Amino acid sequence: MSVTAPPGSQLAPRWRRGRLLLLLALTVVPLLVTGCCAAMAAIAMAGGSGPWALLPAAGALVLVAVQTGWLVHSGSSDPSNALKVAFLAGGATVLVGLIPSFGLAGTGLAGALLGLGLVLVVVSCVLASRGHRTMLQPLVPELGSVPVRLRLAARFALDGPDLVSASLLIDVDRVGWTARRHRAKGGPQVDVSVPFQQLRGARPITLPTPQPWLSLPDGTVLHAPAGPAVVLTTVTGERMVPVHEAALVVALLERRVGRWRRTTPM
């Protein structure tokens, strides 16, 4: 977790709290779950099972290593994915570690350990969600100076009952936006990315009336409602993205582009 808030930054206290919560969520609590698996393995071996009863606990330990590796390499640069990592790894731990360990032990105490392990998996997800929110919410312009991916919801309107999501991403070297129509087996999606070297400026505007914004590959058209939006000036022209806090997005972009220019060899 090498990404930190600037020294003396007002973000530093909440950044430390968020990193601690992510450490608890993705390393400490999963180790406790692994301990539950190891305890059930001990019960199984005491009942006559061989050392292979430790295999589920070993699998759970591997998943702890996966979560810790993500935390070290990507946790601070993209904390918004912490809940996804905790959820997927926690589900895998249940299938690989807790349930097989309980099946091998099969006693009343093992049932209590299984219940404790399931509770800990839920706790891990809750802590991951809190850690993400602590680090990135509320959004403030100063976050533009920290090399962390920022995702903001886009404003859009859609005719019909389809489930569609759209967001703006401010990355360490580019800005982009994406929209996807959700279906059981994927769905049409559009992704637009503008590297900072192609970005010439950004300004907030207020749309007086709704207007078309994005078209998905299946022809679905997303409309930008009247209200705030950001206009990005690029080498190929202007692009509009409807957002909830246009002035904040511009402030974040100005700081992020300024940081990119200071740290990128020209």
Side-chain angles (χ1 to χ4, degrees), residues 187-198:
Q189 180 171 329
V190 60
D191 296 286
V192 182
S193 180
V194 179
F196 286 159
Q197 62 262 34
Q198 297 181 12

Side-chain angles (χ1 to χ4, degrees), residues 56 63 88-101 118:
L63 289 166
L88 293 176
T93 301
V94 171
L95 296 176
V96 171
L98 287 172
I99 292 178
S101 295
L118 293 174

Side-chain angles (χ1 to χ4, degrees), residues 5-91:
S9 163
Q10 294 181 356
L11 290 175
R14 79 185 224 194
W15 207 260
R16 287 193 296 269
R17 291 195 301 271
R19 285 157 58 100
L20 175 60
L21 288 169
L22 294 187
L23 178 64
L24 292 172
L26 299 176
T27 298
V28 177
V29 174
L31 280 174
L32 295 177
V33 177
T34 302
C36 292
C37 296
M40 286 188 279
I43 294 173
M45 288 188 292
S49 297
W52 50 267
L54 286 169
L55 288 177
L61 188 59
V62 169
L63 289 166
V64 175
V66 171
Q67 292 176 86
T68 302
W70 179 87
L71 186 61
V72 170
H73 296 290
S74 304
S76 287
S77 62
D78 197 5
S80 59
N81 276 330
L83 176 57
K84 181 187 298 183
V85 172
F87 179 79
L88 293 176

Side-chain angles (χ1 to χ4, degrees), residues 156-159 164 211-216 218-224:
F156 66 93
L158 177 69
D159 295 331
V164 175
Q211 59 180 270
W213 174 41
L214 278 181
S215 295
L216 299 183
D218 65 348
T220 302
V221 178
L222 305 185
H223 291 82

Side-chain angles (χ1 to χ4, degrees), residues 114-206:
L114 173 64
L116 176 60
L118 293 174
V119 169
L120 289 172
V121 169
V122 174
V123 169
S124 173
C125 293
V126 172
L127 290 174
S129 178
R130 289 187 59 187
H132 157 228
R133 292 198 307 269
T134 298
M135 295 176 75
L136 299 184
Q137 300 295 331
L139 287 173
V140 293
E142 195 173 2
L143 278 168
S145 301
V146 183
V148 58
R149 296 181 184 93
L150 301 173
R151 291 181 174 84
L152 300 90
R155 299 185 314 108
F156 66 93
L158 177 69
D159 295 331
D162 296 323
L163 179 60
V164 175
S165 62
S167 61
L168 172 73
L169 172 66
I170 301 177
D171 210 334
V172 295
D173 62 351
R174 65 191 60 240
V175 58
W177 50 98
T178 182
R180 177 186 175 190
R181 182 179 180 182
H182 298 273
R183 291 177 176 169
K185 295 183 178 180
Q189 180 171 329
V190 60
D191 296 286
V192 182
S193 180
V194 179
F196 286 159
Q197 62 262 34
Q198 297 181 12
L199 187 63
R200 296 295 179 261
R203 69 181 190 276
I205 64 169
T206 300

Side-chain angles (χ1 to χ4, degrees), residues 212-249:
W213 174 41
L214 278 181
S215 295
L216 299 183
D218 65 348
T220 302
V221 178
L222 305 185
H223 291 82
V230 171
V231 173
L232 303 174
T233 303
T234 73
V235 294
T236 58
E238 293 189 337
R239 302 296 298 269
M240 181 272 295
V241 184
V243 292
H244 294 281
E245 298 180 82
L248 174 60
V249 170

